[in-house]
């Protein structure tokens, strides 16, 4: 629709926050010219500054809520998010923000967007599927259902439970029975 501000973002399974660079952001490395003018959205500030650690760097922004769309008909109103005003030591990121897909709620036990979409009945299941392809710009992420249209014909899906030893972490970990790197074999480990 014409009145929705679309912004390219990174999907991050190790984070639970949703944050977007705002117009005027001191954000070196952010995709040039792509930011969200919060005055043109329904962003409601909570009058709380958030300092966000991310990797070796981080950001500072205003906590608030707004309607967040994944598509024209899949959206959630009043989603907590951070309008980033400054980032530091972040390197180059070719997007305007981060969409946290962690399996756990983040700071202050704030539900993720995926949690809220499921609770509101906007998606059928609390899951997402990723289809990675070698062609440029053709990878897909599907929310709320298994994307059977992108499974190789005759292929199978295998559900793997989270590793219970590290389930207190925000990121997903899976048990790995064996991994080979040339002649080196690693047994009984887990992977992110």
């Amino acid at each position: 629709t014409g009145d929705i501000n679309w912004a390219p973002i990174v999907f991050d399974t190790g984070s639970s926050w949703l944050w977007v660079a705002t117009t005027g952001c001191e954000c070196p490395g952010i995709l040039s010219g792509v930011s969200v003018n919060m005055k043109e959205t329904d962003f409601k500030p909570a009058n709380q500054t958030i300092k966000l650690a991310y990797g070796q760097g981080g950001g500072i922004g205003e906590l608030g809520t707004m309607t967040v769309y994944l598509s024209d008909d899949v959206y959630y109103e009043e989603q907590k998010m951070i309008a980033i005003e400054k980032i530091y030591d972040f390197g180059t990121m070719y997007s305007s923000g981060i969409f946290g897909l962690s399996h756990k709620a983040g700071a202050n036990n704030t539900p993720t967007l995926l949690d809220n979409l499921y609770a509101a009945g906007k998606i059928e299941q609390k899951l997402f599927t990723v289809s990675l392809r070698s062609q440029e710009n053709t990878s897909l992420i599907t929310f709320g259902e298994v994307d059977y249209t992108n499974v190789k014909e005759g292929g199978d899906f295998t559900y793997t439970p989270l590793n219970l030893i590290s389930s207190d972490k925000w990121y997903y970990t899976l048990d790995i029975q064996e991994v080979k790197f040339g002649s080196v074999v690693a047994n009984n480990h887990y992977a992110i």
Side-chain angles (χ1 to χ4, degrees):
T1 63
D3 58 348
I4 296 175
N5 289 298
W6 295 101
I9 57 175
V10 171
F11 296 103
D12 183 1
T13 60
S15 172
S16 62
W17 282 105
L18 171 64
W19 65 263
V20 178
T22 61
T23 300
C25 178
E26 295 176 43
C27 299
I30 291 288
L31 188 62
S32 178
V34 181
S35 60
V36 176
N37 183 345
M38 293 300 173
K39 292 179 182 175
E40 294 178 0
T41 70
D42 66 346
F43 181 74
K44 296 177 192 103
N47 297 318
Q48 181 181 354
T49 299
I50 296 287
K51 194 170 190 178
L52 188 65
Y54 196 84
Q56 295 178 350
I60 299 171
E62 174 76 21
L63 179 66
T65 61
M66 71 182 292
T67 303
V68 177
Y69 289 81
L70 296 181
S71 67
D72 288 341
D73 57 347
V74 178
Y75 60 90
Y76 186 77
E77 298 173 356
E78 301 292 319
Q79 175 63 38
K80 281 192 178 180
M81 54 91 60
I82 302 170
I84 294 293
E85 299 161 358
K86 181 177 183 177
I87 63 170
Y88 49 90
D89 297 330
F90 211 78
T92 302
M93 183 175 82
Y94 296 103
S95 75
S96 295
I98 292 179
F99 180 156
L101 289 171
S102 172
H103 66 90
K104 286 193 163 195
N108 301 322
N109 207 30
T110 302
T112 65
L113 180 57
L114 198 61
D115 292 332
N116 286 334
L117 289 169
Y118 178 71
K122 299 280 186 168
I123 57 176
E124 292 180 24
Q125 300 174 61
K126 189 177 151 187
L127 62 81
F128 59 93
T129 57
V130 178
S131 173
L132 300 175
R133 299 183 184 169
S134 60
Q135 297 91 3
E136 191 173 329
N137 297 322
T138 61
S139 296
L140 302 169
I141 187 164
T142 303
F143 296 94
E145 60 186 46
V146 174
D147 185 2
Y148 288 106
T149 61
N150 287 293
V151 175
K152 183 178 175 182
E153 189 169 327
D156 294 322
F157 265 115
T158 301
Y159 288 94
T160 304
L162 295 178
N163 180 306
L164 297 178
I165 294 170
S166 58
S167 65
D168 61 325
K169 306 292 186 204
W170 289 3
Y171 46 82
Y172 296 87
T173 57
L174 307 172
D175 285 318
I176 303 292
Q177 293 177 357
E178 181 179 275
V179 177
K180 293 182 181 181
F181 299 98
S183 61
V184 177
V185 177
N187 292 311
N188 300 322
H189 292 279
Y190 64 92
I192 297 174

